[in-house]
Amino acid sequence: MWKQLWKKWTIDKPAAFGDLLWEVFVVQFAAFLDRLTWRRIVALIPLAILAVAYAHSIPLPPELMLIGDVLAYIDIVSVILLLSIMSRAAAILFVVKQAAEQAIDLARSVLAAMQRLDFRHRRARGAKRNNPSIRRADSEDDDHAVVLGVAWA
C-alpha cells in the first residue's frame, strides 16, 4: 500500500501535473495564438489604458479615451477612411481625365493648324512677290536697292 501511494505521489501526480502544464501552456496557448487577430489585439489596447490609469489612480484625458473609442471601433473608422480616400481619388481621376481631354483637343487643333499652313508646298521660283516695300534697282551697277521708308546715308 505504501509503495502504491509512494508511486502515485512521486510519479503519477507529477506526471499528470506536467501533462496539465503542457496542455495549458503549449497546446491551449498555441490554439489561442491561432485565433488571435490584429483586430482583437487593438480592441484590448483601451482596456490596457484603463487598467494602467486605475492602477496609478491618475485622471485620464479625454483625448486618450477618444483614442480608446477609435481603437475599439477601428473597423468603422477604417471604412470611413477608405470612403474618404476613394472620394478623393475619384476627384483626382476626374481632373486627370479632363486634363487629358484638353491635351488631346489641343493636339488636334495644333495638327489642324499645321495642315492649314501646308509647309510642304513651296512657292514656285518664277512667281512674282507681292511685297511692294522692297524693289530691285533699275540698273545693276549704279543704283542701290530702293527700300521704302528707309533713309540711306
Side-chain angles (χ1 to χ4, degrees):
M1 162 136 185
W2 286 106
K3 198 170 188 178
Q4 288 178 344
L5 189 64
W6 179 258
K7 182 182 173 193
K8 181 179 180 183
W9 282 100
T10 58
I11 298 173
D12 294 339
K13 293 286 184 182
F17 184 66
D19 290 342
L20 176 70
L21 290 178
W22 177 264
E23 177 70 26
V24 170
F25 289 117
V26 176
V27 176
Q28 290 181 5
F29 185 66
F32 171 73
L33 290 179
D34 285 340
R35 291 188 315 266
L36 190 63
T37 61
W38 284 107
R39 185 171 184 260
R40 287 186 181 181
I41 292 172
V42 168
L44 293 176
I45 292 175
L47 295 176
I49 292 171
L50 283 175
V52 169
Y54 284 123
H56 292 289
S57 66
I58 56 172
L60 286 176
E63 299 87 15
L64 198 58
M65 294 305 292
L66 180 63
I67 289 173
D69 291 339
V70 167
L71 290 175
Y73 300 109
I74 192 71
D75 49 352
I76 297 170
V77 173
S78 64
V79 168
I80 292 171
L81 181 68
L82 286 174
L83 287 176
S84 66
I85 289 171
M86 285 174 43
S87 65
R88 171 105 15 130
I92 290 172
L93 285 175
F94 178 72
V95 169
V96 168
K97 181 182 173 186
Q98 279 188 337
E101 288 175 357
Q102 287 179 355
I104 289 171
D105 289 341
L106 178 66
R108 285 182 184 154
S109 65
V110 166
L111 185 60
M114 295 288 281
Q115 288 176 351
R116 272 182 274 166
L117 289 177
D118 201 12
F119 288 117
R120 293 178 297 170
H121 304 296
R122 304 271 181 207
R123 180 174 293 169
R125 292 193 183 265
K128 185 176 179 181
R129 295 183 186 217
N130 292 332
N131 193 352
S133 63
I134 300 175
R135 293 183 302 188
R136 288 188 172 244
D138 293 336
S139 64
E140 295 180 13
D141 296 333
D142 298 333
D143 295 334
H144 54 79
V146 178
V147 178
L148 298 178
V150 177
W152 292 92

